[in-house]
Amino acid sequence: MSEDRGWHSATGRAFGGPGKYIQRAGEIARLADHLAPLGSRLFLLVDGFVLDAIGPAIRGPLEAAGLAVTVERFGGECCTEEIERIAALVKAAGAGVVVGIGGGKTADTAKTAAVANGARIAIVPTIASTDAPCSAVAVRYSREGVYQESISLPRNPDVVVVDSALIAKAPVRFLVAGIGDALSTWFEARSNLESRSNNYIRPGLPAPEAGVAIARACHEVLMRDALAAKIACERGALTPAVEAIIEANTLLSGLGFENCGVSAAHGIHDGLTVLDETHGFFHGEKVAFGVLCLLMLEGRPLAEIEATARFCRSVGLPTTLADLKLAQATPADIERVAEAALRPGSATWRVAVPLSVAIVRDAILALDAFTSGLDRAAKA
Ligand SMILES: [Zn+2]
């Protein structure tokens, strides 16, 4: 849009992404085709559930292709201890390629351990629940799952391989969480455009036109296909809508956030993790609630907030504190969330409105009041 163009042309710009992105049903059986060009000694970091279900089916074709394969079970959290453990194992194995197979935390641990060893990076998401696979950003948590920091790695994955048939058979809650994470992409890009913030590709450089176009496309695909994809995925069915949403959650959202920046939807997500009640929820579920808070914080028209909340409801994403098991949360609890959302360096600071703990706290409380009222109206 024309209003974005002025500052784009006045500054430089930077674009980054994975070397290759491959998405097709059954692609996990063709992994050797994608990994052999990267190196012959592979270190596979695999989610426990995936390892138990299809570990041999992954390993067999790789070894048949003459590749040396070390397999390790992911410990479950992308924390300092696990990153150091995996980095040491990659070194001991002498692996030139680290392959992260599983969810977002597996991907982030694999990326970080690969970079520590100068190894190539391949990511094979088995669920479409976050935009972690394509990016050079890794999110580190404490052992207990409390957000610690976002690490900017020097390289993106060399290749991302997505087996859409596998993802369509995963529990639908993962796909829905990914929709929540992808929902933040355009709204947070808009925050960064308005606050003239830089992206995550190179220090000092903002979003390129390509990044903004991708963030917009991400939003359009969600609005068009999210509900149809959710309905199909509930039956394990792979349809064009499911393929489109897998791409939106994984590629469009990944490129969109990295090239445009995140803002308060992720900042408030990070803040929510200080409340233990939220630990059972997925990243994307909390981010979806954070999107609604972001819109309230930015003073968007209630019609936009209502439409976004109704979209969230239609696919089963949380829109109220009660949906996040926070019905009993006090204003003081929400103030702790706001404090954590405003830590130095938090993405919340990328929002182009005045910010304070009280302002963020009240945006969350006001959003909850609004969406809770929508619930009552819907039931009446
Ligand atoms: Zn995210």
Side-chain angles (χ1 to χ4, degrees):
M1 278 188 203
S2 56
E3 68 264 28
D4 299 335
R5 222 167 258 153
W7 74 279
H8 267 276
S9 55
T11 53
R13 60 205 64 198
F15 182 85
K20 287 186 180 174
Y21 176 88
I22 315 291
Q23 177 184 319
R24 182 164 52 168
E27 207 61 22
I28 207 153
R30 293 183 282 267
L31 266 187
D33 294 349
H34 306 298
L35 300 179
L38 300 178
S40 58
R41 297 190 76 84
L42 312 178
F43 183 96
L44 274 51
L45 179 65
V46 190
D47 265 0
F49 177 76
V50 176
L51 190 59
D52 295 338
I54 56 168
I58 296 172
R59 183 176 194 146
L62 295 174
E63 289 181 332
L67 301 167
V69 181
T70 303
V71 177
E72 181 63 27
R73 181 179 292 261
F74 177 52
E77 190 55 80
C78 183
C79 57
T80 300
E81 294 82 356
E82 180 68 357
I83 291 166
E84 289 177 352
R85 182 179 80 87
I86 299 304
L89 288 172
V90 171
K91 187 174 186 185
V97 188
V98 177
V99 189
I101 306 177
K105 291 183 176 190
T106 315
D108 282 359
T109 306
K111 287 188 282 188
T112 311
V115 166
N117 283 281
R120 309 292 289 271
I121 310 166
I123 302 297
V124 184
T126 55
I127 48 178
S129 63
T130 76
D131 50 23
C134 291
S135 82
V137 177
V139 180
R140 189 173 62 80
Y141 292 83
S142 73
R143 254 190 296 196
E144 293 74 33
V146 178
Y147 171 84
Q148 301 293 308
E149 63 169 337
S150 291
I151 307 166
S152 273
L153 301 170
R155 288 185 292 115
N156 289 72
D158 293 275
V159 62
V160 176
V161 182
V162 185
D163 186 330
S164 33
L166 198 63
I167 287 176
K169 288 193 167 43
V172 70
R173 189 178 164 197
F174 290 116
L175 191 80
V176 170
I179 291 167
D181 204 15
L183 182 66
S184 70
T185 305
W186 164 244
F187 292 121
E188 293 193 312
R190 184 173 67 177
S191 302
N192 280 273
L193 291 170
E194 290 181 353
S195 64
R196 287 154 167 67
S197 300
N198 298 319
N199 68 13
Y200 301 123
I201 305 300
R202 291 292 296 178
L205 290 173
E209 299 286 0
V212 177
I214 287 168
R216 284 187 197 282
C218 183
H219 193 72
E220 285 165 17
V221 172
L222 292 181
M223 296 303 117
R224 187 188 69 203
D225 287 330
L227 182 57
K230 184 223 174 192
I231 290 167
C233 195
E234 281 172 339
R235 296 288 183 89
L238 181 59
T239 62
V242 175
E243 289 277 10
I245 289 299
I246 292 170
E247 186 196 337
N249 290 6
T250 312
L251 182 66
L252 300 178
S253 181
L255 288 169
F257 98 78
E258 192 166 25
N259 286 284
C260 299
V262 300
S263 74
H266 276 80
I268 289 170
H269 159 278
D270 299 342
L272 286 167
T273 65
V274 304
L275 300 180
D276 290 344
E277 292 88 343
T278 68
H279 288 187
F281 292 91
F282 293 148
H283 171 85
E285 294 172 330
K286 284 175 277 195
V287 168
F289 180 73
V291 166
L292 300 173
C293 295
L294 163 68
L295 298 180
M296 187 61 84
L297 181 64
E298 290 179 325
R300 301 295 176 189
L302 286 181
E304 180 178 328
I305 303 176
E306 178 175 349
T308 310
R310 294 211 183 279
F311 170 83
C312 290
R313 285 243 163 261
S314 75
V315 293
L317 287 164
T319 64
T320 64
L321 289 170
D323 289 344
L324 290 171
K325 295 207 171 104
L326 293 174
Q328 309 305 322
T330 64
D333 291 331
I334 301 307
E335 189 159 315
R336 285 174 56 216
V337 171
E339 274 168 11
L342 284 171
R343 289 199 298 198
S346 165
T348 306
W349 293 105
R350 290 166 168 261
V351 174
V353 297
L355 291 167
S356 69
V357 169
I359 287 170
V360 173
R361 176 200 63 203
D362 288 354
I364 298 170
L365 293 173
L367 180 278
D368 179 61
F370 179 64
T371 49
S372 299
L374 284 181
D375 281 349
R376 281 192 294 276
K379 279 172 202 152

